[in-house]
Amino acid sequence: MSVLRIAVVYPDLLGTYGDTGNGVILERRAAERGIAAELLMARSSEPLPEADLYCLGGGEDGPQVLAAERLVADGGLRRATEAGATIFAVCAGFQIIGASFPDAAGNRHDGVGLIDVTTTKGSGPRCVGEVAVDPDPALGLSRLSGFENHGGVSTLGEAAALGTVVAGVGNGAGPAIEGAYRGHVLGTYLHGPVLARNPDLADLLLRWATGSGELEVLDDAAALDLRSERLASVGC
Ligand code: GLN
């Protein structure tokens, strides 16, 4: 590809906790390696642009329903996924890329159906706080740090978990697992923005999107200090 196109999907609806920063981080980490990258802020009033890597962030219950309806009607995210695009989705975004999720009243809404994950309203208190996750060894990542705040709980079908929860709740529906991935589609409950705290997760997404086996090593000292400090706050 000549230019890596990174789209932040509906930042006007899905951007809680600075999740739009995930797109900025991906663009910067590409540019620092001399990979030409373009960051597209894809507003919900416009057709979804074509891109190689899409980022979806968290959102309140109402905007989340609106975003899902618009994405289903648009059809672009499904087409892009089928064409091999990389999808990275956080919290409300994670729920939206699955089969279905609840609104504030508990009513079921269709997701885009990019990954076999179903979200329902949790019966316990909202899941709020710092999270530490040991990623699936197949992904080759180090321990992940993030912040969660969700009422929905998610059950995986065919998808693999992103990792095992060491601190916090994660998906919240049974086993202590967090997130999901299948192919180049990856969802997580971790805010942060999570790619600011976990540079190797950002690089995994860049490798998926560019097809590069190896990426030039960057100086991540500040990000790794932040991650250590956050992990230490939950005894990890
Ligand atoms: N509205 C969703 C829930 O509470 C997602 C929240 C979020 O994105 N932080 O489960």
Side-chain angles (χ1 to χ4, degrees), residues 16-35:
T16 54
Y17 303 118
D19 287 339
T20 54
N22 287 324
V24 176
I25 287 157
L26 289 164
E27 190 265 333
R28 287 292 304 273
R29 295 185 72 80
E32 280 183 43
R33 290 159 165 134
I35 301 168

Side-chain angles (χ1 to χ4, degrees), residues 161-205:
L162 171 60
T164 307
V165 175
V166 188
V169 177
N171 293 349
I177 54 175
E178 206 299 304
Y181 74 100
R182 188 171 170 89
H184 287 177
V185 177
L186 191 150
T188 177
Y189 274 107
L190 304 184
H191 300 281
V194 66
L195 300 186
R197 295 193 190 187
N198 303 280
D200 55 356
L201 179 57
D203 285 353
L204 174 70
L205 299 169

Side-chain angles (χ1 to χ4, degrees), residues 16-17 58-61 64 90-92 95 126 149-152 189 191:
T16 54
Y17 303 118
E60 309 294 335
D61 294 339
Q64 175 175 350
V90 175
C91 202
Q95 297 176 358
R126 264 186 99 73
N149 184 351
H150 54 105
Y189 274 107
H191 300 281

Side-chain angles (χ1 to χ4, degrees), residues 13-14 59-69 92 96 101-104 109:
L13 297 175
L14 301 173
E60 309 294 335
D61 294 339
Q64 175 175 350
V65 171
L66 201 54
E69 286 173 354
I96 286 173
F101 64 89
D103 62 19
H109 291 263

Side-chain angles (χ1 to χ4, degrees), residues 134-159:
D134 277 343
D136 181 340
L139 295 173
L141 303 173
S142 37
R143 182 169 279 182
L144 299 168
S145 163
F147 176 82
E148 65 184 334
N149 184 351
H150 54 105
V153 297
S154 300
T155 305
L156 311 192
E158 294 288 301

